[in-house]
């Protein structure tokens, strides 16, 4: 059965044979397009030729559900303020465009001319070049505005409140410009990042780890002993107070057989017999005679002169042995420097200085104690893969800021309690009335 379609020639490696003739060209795409056009005409016409009103429908009312989902954007506060105020700067007026001047020498005879055809002299050209170079010739300096264009004017208080004091501006305290005072015992600032002890490593040496473990263990034992001693002292104090109270109560019961003071005794407390009253009178000093005044004045001058002579003798003796005193002072200074250097060398690390804090506080609370970062024997791992990260650089840095006095120690604020609300639902369909 012969087909009406032309033979398909998808590949033409050569154009010299009969397969390259026009009758053998593939026209399947053209025929399929014509078939689709015929079907569109049968169904009512091609879509490309139809007007837009027949293809689309204009929604005039809009979607109500879509409006509910879309929230209106809240207007910014800055836009509200700018909308309320009127700008104090006048709007720019549209000016006329100026013609471009020709300075390339395109005039008659190669002369420099302006846009209107006038000649530009060398003097004027030199002045324009100086202005362009920033020489400031012929340029007026703009005056700086003395008022705030966008600032709202201060509202004057009414006359009835004119006696009130004006609000004062906030002034920074003097201590804000001063350097912070460290809370360490020696008064030195601690480094921002302390050099850790070798025993705190994940894989420490045996000597370093054992020394650190022994040190921290001894500190924990001392702290526990101090706590127990304080508790025992408090218990002993309470016991003595109870014993004294019991003794006083027993004496009162023995003497008066009551726990309160009798009425007749309280009445006679303030009364004193005439025999018990004693009057002491002091003899009034008489006025000194001129001889007594001169005698006291001479005595005062003599004592002052003797005191001055004694100081002068000591000064003469010291002047004679100035060299010995200078040698002694220099020797004392050398001893102090050596002692200070020995103390600096003996300090193991910066952590020891940070742990020794002074008694003074910066704020109402004391500096929190540093966590104990010692690994116990059973927690030491022989493999680095099984290690877990410990400690926090953020907390260490925050504690160093507290020690250096740059931040005030404050209480940690927890999450605020939210009000508990109960949600109920009314079942109106259960309400009924009897007729």
């Amino acid at each position: 059965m012969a087909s009406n379609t032309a033979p398909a020639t998808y590949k033409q490696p050569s154009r010299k044979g009969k397969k390259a003739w026009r009758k053998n060209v593939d026209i399947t795409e053209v025929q399929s397009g014509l078939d689709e056009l015929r079907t569109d005409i049968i169904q009512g016409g091609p879509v490309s030729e139809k007007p837009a009103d027949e293809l689309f429908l204009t929604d005039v009312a809009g979607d109500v559900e879509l409006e509910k989902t879309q929230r209106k954007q809240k207007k910014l506060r800055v836009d509200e303020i700018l909308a309320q105020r009127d700008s104090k700067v006048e709007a720019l007026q549209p000016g006329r465009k100026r013609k471009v001047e020709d300075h390339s020498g395109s005039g008659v005879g190669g002369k420099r001319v302006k846009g209107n055809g006038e000649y530009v002299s060398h003097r004027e050209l030199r002045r324009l070049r100086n202005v362009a170079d920033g020489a400031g010739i012929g340029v007026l300096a703009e005056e700086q505005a003395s008022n705030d264009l966008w600032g709202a004017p201060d509202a004057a208080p009414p006359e009835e409140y004119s006696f009130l004091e004006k609000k004062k501006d906030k002034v920074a305290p003097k201590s804000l410009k001063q350097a912070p005072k460290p809370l360490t015992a020696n008064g030195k600032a601690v480094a921002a990042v302390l050099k850790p002890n070798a025993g705190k490593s994940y894989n420490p040496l045996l000597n370093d780890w054992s020394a650190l473990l022994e040190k921290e263990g001894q500190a924990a034992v001392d702290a526990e002993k101090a706590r127990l001693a304080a508790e025992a002292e408090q218990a002993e104090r309470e016991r003595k107070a109870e014993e004294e109270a019991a003794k006083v109560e027993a004496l009162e019961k023995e003497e008066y057989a009551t726990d309160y003071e009798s009425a007749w005794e309280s009445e006679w407390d303030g009364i004193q017999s005439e025999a018990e009253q004693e009057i002491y009178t002091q003899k009034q000093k008489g006025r000194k005679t001129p001889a007594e005044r001169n005698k006291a004045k001479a005595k005062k001058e003599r004592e002052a002169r003797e005191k001055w002579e004694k100081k002068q003798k000591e000064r003469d003796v010291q002047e004679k042995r100035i060299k010995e005193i200078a040698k002694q002072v220099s020797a004392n200074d050398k001893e102090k420097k050596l002692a200070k250097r020995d103390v600096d060398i003996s300090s193991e690390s910066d952590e020891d200085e940070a742990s020794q804090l002074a008694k003074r506080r910066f704020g109402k609370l004391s500096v929190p104690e540093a966590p104990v970062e010692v690994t116990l024997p059973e927690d030491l791992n022989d493999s680095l893969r099984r290690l877990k990260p410990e400690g926090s650089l953020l907390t260490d840095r925050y504690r160093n800021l507290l020690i250096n006095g740059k931040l005030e120690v404050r209480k940690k604020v927890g999450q605020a309690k939210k009000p508990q609300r109960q949600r109920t639902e009314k079942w109106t369909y259960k309400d009924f009335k009897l007729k």
Side-chain angles (χ1 to χ4, degrees):
M1 183 177 179
S3 61
N4 296 329
T5 59
T9 56
Y10 297 106
K11 296 181 181 179
Q12 294 182 355
S14 176
R15 294 181 179 272
K16 295 181 180 180
K18 292 182 179 181
K19 293 181 179 180
W21 293 355
R22 184 173 294 178
K23 66 177 182 179
N24 296 329
V25 174
D26 185 13
I27 57 173
T28 53
E29 294 181 0
V30 178
Q31 289 180 355
S32 61
L34 292 173
D35 293 339
E36 290 178 359
L37 181 60
R38 292 190 194 99
T39 54
D40 291 343
I41 292 171
I42 292 169
Q43 293 177 359
V47 179
S48 59
E49 296 178 0
K50 289 183 178 181
D53 298 338
E54 296 181 5
L55 296 175
F56 302 101
L57 180 64
T58 305
D59 187 7
V60 181
D63 192 358
V64 181
E65 298 295 334
L66 188 61
E67 290 182 359
K68 292 181 180 179
T69 56
Q70 291 181 351
R71 296 180 179 178
K72 295 182 179 179
Q73 292 184 354
K74 187 178 179 181
K75 197 172 183 180
L76 296 178
R77 179 61 180 165
V78 63
D79 295 335
E80 294 179 1
I81 294 172
L82 292 176
Q84 292 175 1
R85 297 181 182 176
D86 295 332
S87 177
K88 298 179 182 179
V89 182
E90 296 181 358
L92 296 175
Q93 300 295 336
R96 60 182 181 83
K97 293 184 179 180
R98 297 181 178 179
K99 296 181 180 180
V100 181
E101 298 179 356
D102 185 10
H103 299 291
S104 60
S106 59
V108 180
K111 295 181 179 180
R112 301 174 181 83
V113 295
K114 290 185 178 180
N116 55 5
E118 296 180 0
Y119 172 71
V120 181
S121 62
H122 287 281
R123 184 177 180 182
E124 183 69 10
L125 181 62
R126 194 183 305 112
R127 188 187 70 81
L128 294 174
R129 284 178 177 174
N130 290 335
V131 172
D133 294 338
I137 301 174
V139 179
L140 297 176
E142 297 181 357
E143 296 181 357
Q144 295 182 354
S146 59
N147 57 342
D148 188 5
L149 295 177
W150 301 105
D154 297 336
E159 295 181 357
E160 54 184 358
Y161 298 116
S162 60
F163 62 91
L164 296 176
E165 295 182 359
K166 295 182 179 179
K167 291 184 178 180
K168 298 180 180 179
D169 298 336
K170 293 183 179 180
V171 182
K174 295 180 180 179
S175 59
L176 192 64
K177 298 180 180 179
Q178 298 175 0
K181 295 181 180 179
L183 302 181
T184 53
N186 54 6
K188 294 182 180 179
V190 182
V193 180
L194 298 176
K195 184 179 179 182
N197 196 330
K200 295 182 180 180
S201 174
Y202 288 110
N203 190 13
L205 297 176
L206 181 60
N207 297 334
D208 299 336
W209 174 77
S210 59
L212 182 62
L213 182 63
E214 185 177 356
K215 178 184 175 182
E216 295 293 343
Q218 186 64 31
V221 170
D222 295 342
E224 184 65 19
K225 287 182 179 179
R227 187 184 67 81
L228 294 175
E231 289 182 357
E233 186 178 355
Q234 181 67 19
E236 183 68 18
R237 196 181 298 111
E238 291 177 357
R239 186 184 63 79
K240 289 182 179 180
E242 290 177 357
E243 289 180 358
E244 292 294 332
K247 288 180 181 179
V248 172
E249 188 176 357
L251 290 174
E252 288 180 353
K253 287 182 179 180
E254 289 178 1
E255 290 183 5
Y256 307 109
T258 55
D259 295 341
Y260 55 88
E261 192 176 12
S262 60
W264 64 270
E265 187 177 359
S266 62
E267 290 177 358
W268 288 91
D269 274 347
I271 300 174
Q272 193 175 16
S273 62
E274 295 180 358
E276 294 177 354
Q277 293 180 358
E278 296 180 0
I279 299 173
Y280 298 96
T281 57
Q282 187 178 6
K283 185 178 180 182
Q284 189 175 3
K285 293 181 179 180
R287 189 174 181 182
K288 289 184 178 181
T289 59
E292 290 176 350
R293 287 198 207 96
N294 294 336
K295 190 176 181 180
K297 186 178 180 181
K299 183 180 178 182
K300 194 173 183 180
E301 291 177 355
R302 185 174 64 256
E303 289 177 354
R305 186 171 60 256
E306 290 176 356
K307 188 176 181 180
W308 179 82
E309 289 176 355
K310 186 178 180 181
K311 284 186 177 180
Q312 195 68 19
K313 288 180 181 179
E314 292 178 356
R315 188 175 180 182
D316 295 341
V317 173
Q318 288 179 358
E319 286 179 356
K320 292 179 181 179
R321 49 190 298 269
I322 283 177
K323 294 182 179 180
E324 297 179 3
I325 294 173
K327 289 181 181 179
Q328 189 176 0
V329 170
S330 61
N332 293 337
D333 293 342
K334 287 182 180 179
E335 290 179 359
K336 289 181 180 179
K337 289 181 180 179
L338 290 173
K340 187 176 181 181
R341 189 180 66 180
D342 294 341
V343 170
D344 294 341
I345 294 172
S346 63
S347 61
E348 296 178 0
S349 63
D350 297 340
E351 292 186 356
D352 297 338
E353 296 180 359
S355 60
Q356 298 175 0
L357 301 178
K359 292 184 179 180
R360 66 176 182 275
R361 296 179 180 178
F362 182 40
K364 297 181 180 180
L365 304 177
S366 57
V367 179
E369 296 183 0
V372 181
E373 299 178 354
V374 183
T375 310
L376 298 177
E378 57 269 14
D379 296 336
L380 287 173
N381 292 322
D382 54 352
S383 176
L384 295 176
R385 294 181 179 179
R386 291 196 295 269
L387 290 175
K388 295 180 181 179
E390 297 179 2
S392 174
L393 291 176
L394 182 62
T395 54
D396 295 346
R397 182 74 182 95
Y398 175 69
R399 188 171 182 275
N400 292 344
L401 290 175
L402 297 179
I403 293 174
N404 289 334
K406 295 180 180 179
L407 290 179
E408 183 181 356
V409 184
R410 295 188 178 181
K411 188 178 180 181
K412 186 177 180 181
V413 179
Q415 188 176 5
K417 291 184 178 180
K418 297 180 180 179
Q420 296 180 358
R421 295 187 177 90
Q422 294 182 355
R423 187 173 181 179
T424 58
E425 184 179 357
K426 288 186 177 181
W427 293 357
T428 55
Y429 65 88
K430 287 189 175 182
D431 298 339
F432 60 92
K433 294 181 180 180
L434 297 175
K435 293 183 180 179

